[in-house]
Amino acid sequence: QVQLAESGGGLVQAGGSRRLSCAASGGAFANYAFGWFRQGPGKDHEFVAGIDWTGHRTYYEDSVKGRFTISRANAKNTVSLQMNSLKPEDTAVYYCAAHRERGLWNVENRQSYDYWGQGTQVTVSS
């Protein structure tokens, strides 16, 4: 059974930075693609960033391009999301998700992911 555990959330002022981590256990981490999603107050789940199983391809939602960076460390079974220049509208619960097969996947579609973490709250104050 694959388990994902997010960490790194908290309260940060606008313009600040935060680094989220997702630790994976119980599966073939190196074969997985990962995504970060978020759900803000009163909003639907939203795709934020994704990374393929090789680590060479990354994808971002338009509003976070240039501010957020997704990366993976296979030796540590972790995926990270570095968030810079945070804005109040980035306030949300952030979720890590894993797609368990190599190859192409619909990075922005929640249905493409097989495993989910419990989420970590990020609050950006103005």
Side-chain angles (χ1 to χ4, degrees):
Q1 180 69 23
V2 174
Q3 293 186 328
L4 304 177
E6 301 95 337
S7 61
L11 177 64
V12 59
Q13 288 188 333
S17 298
R18 203 79 184 179
R19 187 177 182 86
L20 304 183
S21 293
C22 173
S25 61
F29 181 92
N31 290 341
Y32 296 166
F34 288 88
W36 284 94
F37 290 76
R38 66 187 179 186
Q39 186 174 25
K43 299 181 181 180
D44 292 332
H45 280 86
E46 175 187 36
F47 166 75
V48 177
I51 188 166
D52 76 343
W53 69 275
T54 69
H56 296 315
R57 294 187 178 182
T58 57
Y59 308 86
Y60 298 95
E61 193 269 331
D62 286 346
S63 70
V64 308
K65 284 181 180 177
R67 298 190 298 124
F68 290 12
T69 302
I70 188 171
S71 60
R72 63 188 296 156
N74 287 357
K76 297 181 179 180
N77 283 8
T78 59
V79 177
S80 297
L81 184 68
Q82 177 67 42
M83 305 185 295
N84 299 328
S85 301
L86 283 162
K87 304 175 181 180
E89 50 264 43
D90 294 318
T91 294
V93 178
Y94 283 73
Y95 298 90
C96 173
H99 172 77
R100 64 187 172 195
E101 296 180 355
R102 295 184 177 186
L104 297 178
W105 87 113
N106 189 337
V107 62
E108 298 185 14
N109 187 342
R110 295 181 64 225
Q111 304 305 317
S112 297
Y113 294 85
D114 303 291
Y115 309 108
W116 290 82
Q118 294 298 308
T120 185
Q121 175 72 46
V122 175
T123 302
V124 184
S125 63
S126 57

